[in-house]
Each structure stands twice: as structure tokens, then as C-alpha cells.
Amino acid sequence: MARQRKPLSVGHSDSKYLKKSPSHTKKDGGFLSYWKQGLAFICLVFAGVIGYMGYLETRVNTPFDEQKMVIQSGLDVPDRYWGSYRPGLYFGMKTRDPYSVVSGLMWYFPNQLRPGGYGIRHWCDDGDNLGRYGWIEHDGRTFGVQEIEDGPFKITVSFVKKPGGNHGGDWTARISAATQDGQLQYELISFLLYSAIEEKTKGWIKPYRFESGLPMGVSGETEGLGAFTVKLYNHSGQVEHESYLSTTAQGLHILKETVFASLRVATDHRKGNRKFFVLPGELLPSPGAGADGKRAEPNFVVTQVTARVPFELDMAFESGSHVDRSENLIMNAYSRELNQLQNDFHHRFEETFKLQTKGYKTDEIAFAKAAFSNLLGGVGYFYGASRVESPYTRGPVPYWKAPLYSAVPSRSFFPRGFLWDEGFHGLLISSWDLDIELDIISHWFDLMNVEGWIPREQILGQEALSRVPEQFVTQRNSNANPPTFFLTLHFILQNLADKLTEKESRLSTLERLYPRLQAWFDWFNVTQIGDLSGSYRWRGRNATTNRELNPVTLTSGLDDYPRASHPNVDERHVDLHCWIALAASTISEIAKLLNKNGQKYSNTYGYLADNNLLDKLHWSPRTQAYSDFGLHTDAVVLKRPPPPRSPSPGYQTHQNADKIRVTLKDPELRFVDSTFGYVSLFPFLLQILEPESPKLGKILDDIKNPELLWTNYGLRSLAKTAPMYMKPNTEHDPPYWRGPIWINLNYMAVRALNHYSKTRGPYSSKAETIYHELKQNIIRNIIKEYRRTGYIWEQYNDKTGEGQRSRPFTGWSSLVVLMMAEIY
Ligand SMILES: *[C@@H]1O[C@H](CO)[C@@H](O)[C@H](O)[C@H]1NC(C)=O
Ligand SMILES: *[C@@H]1O[C@H](CO)[C@@H](O)[C@H](O)[C@H]1NC(C)=O
Ligand SMILES: CC(=O)N[C@H]1CO[C@H](CO)[C@@H](O)[C@@H]1O
């Protein structure tokens, strides 16, 4: 049905060439020598082909061949050496080293502990049903405060870092539990505080003993950290039992399982024979069990403190090379230090976002701080190799091992780096700390291969890998993702130009970035190009599947947002056209700043932003809207395949066969214009549309139309009138980008409205009115839902405004802070 293009093939001319080669001649000797020459030639070609195939095969995992972006790492940046860089945990600290000592927290209520370890909290997990959790203050460098509501209990975790010595200094974490519920005072809670060293860390750890009593902490020494101790100080509340575990864990991804497997029930005779869950102490494979007969060394040391609520303890990491500390960072000294940092934070938050000046109320500002802090506090440090694939590799191959310093979309659901999310995160992070953002950008661009490609999802290291279903791990080098880092860079140039030029190191980062931006651009401009001049097409859609109502376009970032029903080479995608235009204009801006010749990019921008070209490629005269173009029909449905005529042994399974797509009318080449939604807005969202264009007036009217995108909570992703509005893509895939409200695109809409309201033109006052209304709707609803549920969400229901899907989603949903601050 779908019109397929024949791939260009050189096979025919090849065989013709071979036939032409002289295989028979009259001279025998000649025959032999011809034959030999022919053979040599064939061998040579063969070797050449093999060599070339080998070359092609290795390109996908060969790094881009220019100076590295990250030139300072680990202890070169001592003040960001330690951090809460394990965002997938409720609380965990590690260093920015490939292999690190990691510290973390688990807790449980003994009367809620269940078989299988249920009830032990460690990784951020929706299944724990916590009422709320997240950083409410975090500055990305020196401290953070997190609040966690576990049933009627409130657990507060804060940390403070203190420089000193040559190994990244000290830090202390304070952990407390409290409850408002009088009946639950004195309830038992068990805190497990651990340190572990990753397999390839050079060094050791062991339980630390105070002069008297049980081990309460860890001591150790590693290459990066030198000698260190982690000591526990319980200083308020009643401790009922203490125990510890010193063992070998098989990996960071099974720490909780290791703890659970070793918990025992013990009777404490001093406490009236009461029973406690306790850790067994040393639990190391016996001598002789190890490979070389040596006693195995512990790599995982846990202290468990079972206490009565309310309770508070400090866990102090002290660096051995920090010799002149005047006092330990615990008890009052800690409180004092924390207080100071909190004051600085509040002050700086107001200076940066000016929410108080804008008249926001105290609790609204607290909300904004929480949204912002959980994004920044969710910045992680990962190390490992992605798995990638190209048409030339036989199956997936490992990428090179590399670090990634990046924020994450959601600490529970997506605690790893995502390329297109990160460009949005960058807007908020750069507003706060430009150097952190430049470092994040640098890490991402070091993941570029020699082709100019960056894998879009980064699943690095054991912990990350264990949270991703196998079929989603491999990244394909034909697949793009919106190049949102150009949004970040554009934002930095617009809003932070003075900060950028104020430090030589920042400009030289841009210098190193420039060739990589060019390569990235070229990669898009070549691999995602469309058939018609100036058109672009997302690759990676499945043209042969009959399982999906509309084959997804994961690469576009908008997953199941409906596109042409029958993917083929005639497709052109309006959002991608606009992303490429943004990319070209941003590179030309950077070229100007760096005194480089960016003519090529400003020409390309001029060409792609030409509204006549845009209209020719993407404006549907029928519906008066921008749209994709392709081989399309709206007449598709999901149906259960009919059972076979005669019941056969397979009958049972057939009845349960998945629904398949049935096409009721042949598709034709046309605009995909019965679908109105986010994609239709892109020329407006990325501000390519000219301010005088009557099409701007039309778009503004469409935005305001409640039958299309307008709701009291923000713009829905797909118009109510669209054929695919709220339709599941398969029986198992509920609608995702087919109606619900997404905050990243709403931020772009608010930003565009602000732009058109400030740009002279016939529609500026209309844009201004809608700007205020839309911004208010979004902010009001997200805050309302935060109060109601305790969380910021991945998306919001377009009928009720309710938060849905994953939580906390303080990736791009935290852009609400920039809307409150009106920073675009
Ligand atoms: C396309 O979908 C079909 C059927 O669902 C599947 O068998 C095939 O592997 C898919 N192709 C690609 C390239 O993913
Ligand atoms: C992008 O590709 C088009 C079409 O091949 C080409 O004309 C244009 O010069 C390219 N732009 C840049 C900046 O390389
Ligand atoms: C390290 C420390 O201070 N441990 C104490 C915690 O509380 C229990 C009981 O209150 C003491 O026995 C420990 O010495």
C-alpha cells in the first residue's frame, strides 16, 4: 500500500563489471596471469570492502575527534567533588569520579517490614507511596535540604559540605524523623546508613569503631579520597538498638537486597527480651572461598540505628587530609553552618527569580524553591558505556566509557540523562549557576561520536542499567532527538551574555564547543533531511508495523503524537524544520560572539525561516494551520484479528491475539491537517513566524479555542477535534502526547507569546492578553496540584488539571519557576 522507494543499488553494475573482466583468452600463459591478476584484484577489492565495512562498523562508537569538552574533572573541581549525585535514591552522596565511594540511606518501620524487603526505602520508588519527597532547598554545590513524608512521619535529610584538605573536604548529613501524630510518638524506626565502594575503586573500607561500643560508621582509604572516616552521632532521641553489617555486595544495584538478606531477628535481654531486626556484623566469605585463598575484603558497610520517633542523627564524613578543622561539623556547629547556607540560598533565590518582588506569596515561593531545588538536587554523576547500534554493526556494540554530569527528568521514573529533556533543564540551571550548566553541556557534547551523533538516552552504570527494560537499552545512530541544547545556548546568549563574557573559562568552553555544534548541526542537516529542499523528516518510525494505530515517532520527543499514518520518504515534519532553523540561528549567533565566520548558518537560517518556504512546505490551505505532510489517512482503527474459521489448537491463543491496525481507506499524499496540536504550533513556538503574518493571528485564535488546545490548566497537546485525541496507540499504550498537558511545550508557548507581545506587529496586544492568561492558568494549576498531592507531575489532565503519570517530575515541569519569574 505504502509507496516504497527502491534503495539505490550498485549490485547490477558490479556484476556487469565482473562479466566484462577477461576470463578467457587464447594464450594459456596469458590466461593464467590474467587469472592471477583477476584473483589478486578480487582479493584486493574484497580486503578493501572488508576494511571499509570494518571502518563503517567502528564509526558509531568512535569519539568525535577534537579537543575534549570536559577539561577539569574529579578533584580538579574540589567544590563539586562530593554531591548528592545519586538522584535515583532518596538520599545518596558520591564523588565525581568514574568509580567512587558512595554513601546512602535506607530506612524502614520495623512493624511494616514485609517479606522480600518490602518496606525498606532506598531507591525513589512510586511503589513506596510516599506522600511527598524532594529537595526543598539545594544550591548545586554546598548544601541541600530534603523533606520526605512517609505515612504520618516526616523524615528530613539535609547535608552541608565544608572545604578543607586536598580531597574535596568534609560533609555531614543530618537525618531526622518526627511525627505530628501523638499516638505514633515513640514508634520505632530503623535507619540504615551505608558506604560502599564500587568494584573498580582502588581502596578499602571497614567498620569504624569509636573507642567504646559498637562500630558506628566507616573508615577507609581510596585513591581519590585519601583516608577518611564516616562517623555517626545520634544526638536527640532514644536509641533502642544498634547493629552493623560488613560484607561484600555483588553490585550497587542490589544493596537493598543484600541488607534484607542479612537481617536477623534478635532478642535484647537488656530491653525486656524485646525482639529487633538486627544486622549480623561481619559477614564475609570465609578464607579459602576467595579466588586466591585470601579473606574477602568488605565493600559494603552498613550501620543500623533503631530508635524511637522523634529522633535525629548526624553522619559526618571527614577527610583525612583535612587536618586543621577547628570543630567537627556536627550538632550545633552543623546547625549554624546549615542556617547560614539556607539564608544565602533564600537571598540568592530572590535575587535570581524575584518572586517576592513580583508579589508571590510565601507558600508559592516555597513551592518554586522546591521545584527548582529538586531539579538541581537531582543532578547526578554517572559513568559507563551506552549500548549502540548502526546499520553496519552486527547487533549492539558498547559505546566508549564516559562520565555524564546531568540533571534527570524524574528521580523515580527516569533517574538518568535524556538528551532532549536536558536542553530544557538547562534554562533553569543556567539562570542559577552558569558554570554548572556549561559543565553539563560539556559532558553531553563529549558523548558525541565522530559522525556528530549524540545518543539520546544515557543508561550508564549498573544502577541505571538495572532500571531500564532490555528492549529500550540500545540506541541507534540513525535516530535523532530535538536538539534542545540550542534552546539553552540561545537562552544563555539572550539572558546571560554579560556573565558569559565575564570569565575567560566560559568563553573558551564555547570555543571548544563550536566545532561540536557544527558537527551536530551537520549530522541533523544530512541524516534527517527530507525529499524536498528545506524539508526535514524524523527517522526511526516503523513503516511495517501493524500493531500501532499511528507508528510512534520517539525521536521527535513527542512519542505517540500522531503523524502521517504511513511513514515513508515523502514525509516532512514541521517541528523538525523549526528545530533546524533554531539550530542554524543559534550557531550563527555564537559565531558572531566568537568572531568566527557563521555565514553558512545565517544563510541556512534565512532560508529555513523564510515564511514563504515554510508555508509552501507546511501550511495547509484547507485547515489554515501548519502541519506535517505525508502519506496519510485518518481512517485507521485497532481491531482484534478475527478467529480462524475452524477452532484449532491455536484458537485459545488467537482469541487473545493483540489488536492490529486496520486501514479503512487508502492513504494519500497530503497534509496531516486534521491533526491540530503542539506540532502545528512550532513555527510560532520557535518564533520563526513573522510577527506581521496573518497566520500569527490565526494561531493565536486557535490557541485560545477551547475546542482545540485551550484549557484552564494550560495548552493540551492535541486538539479535541483531532482524530487521535486521547486514543490509545495499542491496547497496552494509553495516550501520552495525545491530549494531556505538558509543561515544556507550555513554557515554549508562554515564551513565544511573550516574544510576540513585545515585538511590534498587529497581534502584539492579543499575544499579550493570552500570555498573561496562559501563564496564570499553568502556574495556578501546578501549584494547586502540588498542594493537593505533594508532587510536581510529568503531565496534567486536560479535563481536570490533575497531575498524572510519573512523579516527582521536576525535570522540565519545573520550568514553571521561569514562568513565575518571567525569564524566557
Ligand atoms: C516494526 O514493527 C514490527 C511489528 O511490530 C516488528 O516486527 C519490527 O521489528 C519493527 N521494526 C523495527 C525496525 O523496529
Ligand atoms: C544544510 O543542508 C542544505 C541542503 O543540503 C544545504 O544547502 C545547507 O547549506 C546546509 N546548511 C549548513 C549550515 O551546512
Ligand atoms: C555514637 C553515639 O553517640 N552513640 C550513642 C547513641 O545512643 C545510644 C543510646 O542512647 C548510646 O548508647 C550510643 O553510645
Side-chain angles (χ1 to χ4, degrees):
M1 210 179 325
R3 193 159 69 79
Q4 294 287 354
R5 282 231 177 149
K6 227 172 157 185
L8 284 176
S9 161
V10 288
H12 288 288
S13 46
D14 267 357
S15 53
K16 242 185 260 163
Y17 176 78
L18 285 178
K19 262 187 217 149
K20 252 198 263 168
S21 72
S23 52
H24 295 279
T25 68
K26 283 181 185 160
K27 285 184 211 157
D28 281 346
F31 171 77
L32 202 64
S33 80
Y34 270 128
W35 187 83
K36 272 188 187 158
Q37 274 178 24
L39 187 68
F41 179 71
I42 288 169
C43 287
L44 210 66
V45 167
F46 194 66
V49 167
I50 296 281
Y52 188 60
M53 292 307 285
Y55 162 76
L56 289 176
E57 190 177 342
T58 55
R59 277 179 69 79
V60 67
N61 56 359
T62 303
F64 186 71
D65 189 19
E66 285 273 345
Q67 201 193 350
K68 285 273 172 230
M69 290 300 305
V70 178
I71 51 177
Q72 290 191 310
S73 57
L75 277 169
D76 304 334
V77 194
D79 68 324
R80 276 186 288 134
Y81 190 50
W82 275 107
S84 53
Y85 301 135
R86 303 175 74 199
L89 270 60
Y90 291 116
F91 177 65
M93 298 284 287
K94 68 177 281 191
T95 63
R96 298 206 310 161
D97 279 319
Y99 303 103
S100 171
V101 170
V102 303
S103 284
L105 166 72
M106 304 180 204
W107 76 90
Y108 63 89
F109 298 93
N111 66 10
Q112 288 174 23
L113 188 62
R114 296 286 175 271
Y118 292 104
I120 302 180
R121 321 294 193 202
H122 184 219
W123 281 359
C124 301
D125 183 350
D126 277 6
D128 291 337
N129 273 318
L130 302 190
R132 178 167 83 89
Y133 64 91
W135 296 103
I136 56 167
E137 293 160 19
H138 200 298
D139 69 355
R141 287 177 189 264
T142 57
F143 92 106
V145 179
Q146 179 170 225
E147 286 182 354
I148 301 167
E149 270 177 33
D150 191 346
F153 300 95
K154 182 160 146 189
I155 293 163
T156 308
V157 181
S158 61
F159 75 90
V160 166
K161 283 161 58 181
K162 187 114 202 213
N166 311 316
H167 295 91
D170 299 345
W171 56 264
T172 297
R174 172 166 293 176
I175 295 140
S176 69
T179 182
Q180 301 284 344
D181 186 331
Q183 304 239 305
L184 292 168
Q185 301 291 344
Y186 308 115
E187 182 81 2
L188 283 181
I189 184 169
S190 292
F191 285 117
L192 299 143
L193 297 139
Y194 67 81
S195 296
I197 51 178
E198 291 185 85
E199 195 188 346
K200 298 197 174 97
T201 314
K202 292 202 179 75
W204 55 268
I205 54 171
K206 66 174 195 208
Y208 175 84
R209 282 166 209 276
F210 282 91
E211 264 141 42
S212 65
L214 275 169
M216 287 288 282
V218 179
S219 62
E221 184 165 357
T222 67
E223 218 171 36
L225 288 170
F228 64 88
T229 54
V230 188
K231 298 180 209 167
L232 300 189
Y233 301 89
N234 46 260
H235 55 81
S236 89
Q238 186 184 335
V239 173
E240 289 291 340
H241 204 281
E242 290 164 345
S243 58
Y244 78 100
L245 171 67
S246 169
T247 190
T248 53
Q250 298 309 314
L252 284 189
H253 58 301
I254 49 166
L255 297 182
K256 173 169 147 178
E257 289 70 15
T258 307
V259 161
F260 182 70
S262 64
L263 277 179
R264 312 262 187 275
V265 177
T267 310
D268 192 329
H269 302 296
R270 291 168 307 166
K271 310 248 167 182
N273 288 340
R274 269 213 324 278
K275 292 189 189 323
F276 292 98
F277 292 109
V278 303
L279 294 171
E282 306 267 325
L283 199 66
L284 293 165
S286 53
D292 45 8
K294 270 200 303 197
R295 199 178 138 82
E297 298 290 335
N299 62 8
F300 181 38
V301 176
V302 192
T303 308
Q304 174 174 271
V305 180
T306 300
R308 298 204 175 271
V309 175
F311 177 69
E312 184 166 272
L313 64 74
D314 290 347
M315 167 164 75
F317 174 94
E318 293 185 347
S319 170
S321 68
H322 185 190
V323 287
D324 52 357
R325 83 174 60 71
S326 52
E327 54 185 352
N328 293 341
L329 188 57
I330 54 168
M331 318 267 176
N332 291 337
Y334 179 89
S335 307
R336 238 181 10 250
E337 199 75 29
L338 177 62
N339 232 299
Q340 180 63 45
L341 291 167
Q342 287 179 296
N343 283 339
D344 294 350
F345 174 82
H346 297 311
H347 192 83
R348 180 164 157 211
F349 195 87
E350 178 57 22
E351 212 168 76
T352 309
F353 301 114
K354 305 193 170 54
L355 300 189
Q356 218 170 323
T357 319
K358 284 182 178 289
Y360 283 100
K361 297 202 249 2
T362 313
D363 73 323
E364 293 165 334
I365 297 173
F367 153 82
K369 284 174 183 163
F372 165 83
S373 299
N374 206 47
L375 171 71
L376 194 59
V379 169
Y381 190 82
F382 313 90
Y383 186 82
S386 297
R387 207 187 300 158
V388 300
E389 194 173 47
S390 85
Y392 303 106
T393 59
R394 274 154 293 180
V397 293
Y399 221 48
W400 62 91
K401 282 194 174 172
L404 180 64
Y405 175 59
S406 176
V408 303
S410 162
R411 288 176 53 201
S412 56
F413 250 74
F414 309 109
R416 54 187 174 274
F418 285 79
L419 182 57
W420 99 287
D421 295 70
E422 204 51 32
F424 288 104
H425 302 162
L427 308 178
L428 205 44
I429 296 174
S430 60
S431 309
W432 177 258
D433 193 321
L434 183 54
D435 290 318
I436 289 186
E437 181 53 29
L438 290 176
D439 202 8
I440 288 174
I441 293 177
S442 296
H443 278 83
W444 272 99
F445 277 85
D446 270 346
L447 294 171
M448 172 177 281
N449 78 359
V450 68
E451 304 165 312
W453 174 67
I454 304 176
R456 66 193 155 98
E457 185 172 346
Q458 295 292 332
I459 309 159
L460 308 180
Q462 229 171 11
E463 258 179 318
L465 201 57
S466 66
R467 297 178 86 149
V468 182
E470 176 62 25
Q471 70 266 34
F472 297 117
V473 172
T474 302
Q475 313 282 306
R476 284 180 185 78
N477 76 337
S478 49
N479 293 351
N481 215 199
T484 49
F485 274 122
F486 286 110
L487 269 185
T488 317
L489 290 165
H490 175 81
F491 179 93
I492 292 173
L493 294 175
Q494 291 275 306
N495 298 306
L496 304 162
D498 48 334
K499 284 200 181 147
L500 194 59
T501 47
E502 144 199 313
K503 266 204 208 166
E504 190 47 44
S505 67
R506 294 173 184 161
L507 278 175
S508 65
T509 301
L510 272 198
E511 284 279 354
R512 293 196 306 285
L513 186 60
Y514 193 77
R516 288 172 189 262
L517 291 177
Q518 289 182 298
W520 208 32
F521 184 89
D522 282 348
W523 183 84
F524 274 94
N525 201 33
V526 170
T527 64
Q528 310 290 306
I529 197 119
D531 247 22
L532 285 191
S533 175
S535 74
Y536 293 89
R537 171 166 65 89
W538 296 110
R539 304 305 199 267
R541 300 191 70 201
N542 190 332
T544 56
T545 181
N546 64 355
R547 313 182 82 90
E548 299 170 50
L549 189 59
N550 185 283
V552 291
T553 318
L554 298 175
T555 48
S556 72
L558 310 176
D559 294 22
D560 66 346
Y561 185 98
R563 308 282 182 156
S565 60
H566 291 69
N568 78 353
V569 295
D570 295 307
E571 256 190 288
R572 31 186 211 258
H573 295 129
V574 61
D575 50 338
L576 184 53
H577 176 102
C578 299
W579 283 121
I580 306 277
L582 169 78
S585 90
T586 309
I587 298 189
S588 81
E589 285 174 65
I590 295 176
K592 256 181 242 149
L593 184 76
L594 300 176
N595 286 319
K596 293 185 190 298
N597 181 358
Q599 194 61 44
K600 199 166 68 160
Y601 300 98
S602 46
N603 289 347
T604 295
Y605 175 68
Y607 179 64
L608 296 179
D610 172 6
N611 279 207
N612 290 323
L613 174 77
L614 183 68
D615 293 353
K616 195 179 97 201
L617 294 172
H618 289 295
W619 180 258
S620 159
R622 187 177 76 88
T623 59
Q624 297 284 300
Y626 286 108
S627 66
D628 289 341
F629 181 92
L631 188 61
H632 181 69
T633 173
D634 288 324
V636 287
V637 289
L638 286 179
K639 270 200 178 145
R640 182 109 34 226
R645 288 233 182 91
S646 57
S648 65
Y651 181 67
Q652 199 57 35
T653 52
H654 209 96
Q655 226 182 10
N656 299 329
D658 276 351
K659 285 185 181 175
I660 56 167
R661 180 173 91 169
V662 179
T663 304
L664 304 170
K665 233 167 82 189
D666 279 351
E668 49 189 13
L669 283 175
R670 50 173 283 197
F671 287 110
V672 188
D673 56 3
S674 41
T675 294
F676 187 83
Y678 287 166
V679 165
S680 326
L681 302 183
F682 263 80
F684 159 80
L685 294 177
L686 288 177
Q687 302 165 21
I688 289 158
L689 193 56
E690 278 152 15
E692 303 80 25
S693 170
K695 297 181 170 84
L696 176 59
K698 176 70 167 53
I699 286 183
L700 293 176
D701 291 341
D702 287 347
I703 282 181
K704 224 18 247 288
N705 182 346
E707 283 310 299
L708 300 175
L709 304 186
W710 190 263
T711 80
N712 288 336
Y713 322 108
L715 300 180
R716 63 167 68 85
S717 39
L718 200 57
K720 280 210 259 178
T721 57
M724 297 274 162
Y725 171 71
M726 287 312 280
K727 290 245 173 80
N729 201 35
T730 73
E731 281 174 275
H732 316 289
D733 296 299
Y736 199 37
W737 289 84
R738 293 185 179 174
I741 297 160
W742 289 83
I743 304 309
N744 58 336
L745 272 290
N746 272 278
Y747 173 81
M748 284 168 75
V750 169
R751 167 182 171 270
L753 287 165
N754 180 62
H755 165 79
Y756 287 109
S757 73
K758 300 221 157 102
T759 314
R760 197 203 288 268
Y763 308 103
S764 60
S765 68
K766 192 185 248 183
E768 190 178 356
T769 315
I770 304 178
Y771 164 72
H772 289 292
E773 227 179 312
L774 179 61
K775 175 168 79 74
Q776 273 326 107
N777 283 347
I778 299 165
I779 295 170
R780 193 189 323 111
N781 187 58
I782 299 181
I783 295 183
K784 186 190 99 214
E785 284 298 291
Y786 180 73
R787 286 190 189 128
R788 187 178 74 82
T789 65
Y791 288 104
I792 293 168
W793 293 80
E794 182 177 4
Q795 47 168 238
Y796 292 86
N797 187 292
D798 66 319
K799 293 192 195 74
T800 62
E802 286 175 17
Q804 53 190 31
R805 303 290 283 228
S806 65
R807 62 174 167 84
F809 194 99
T810 44
W812 60 44
S813 294
S814 57
L815 287 173
V816 62
V817 179
L818 287 185
M819 294 190 225
M820 293 169 80
E822 302 188 270
I823 300 177
Y824 304 108

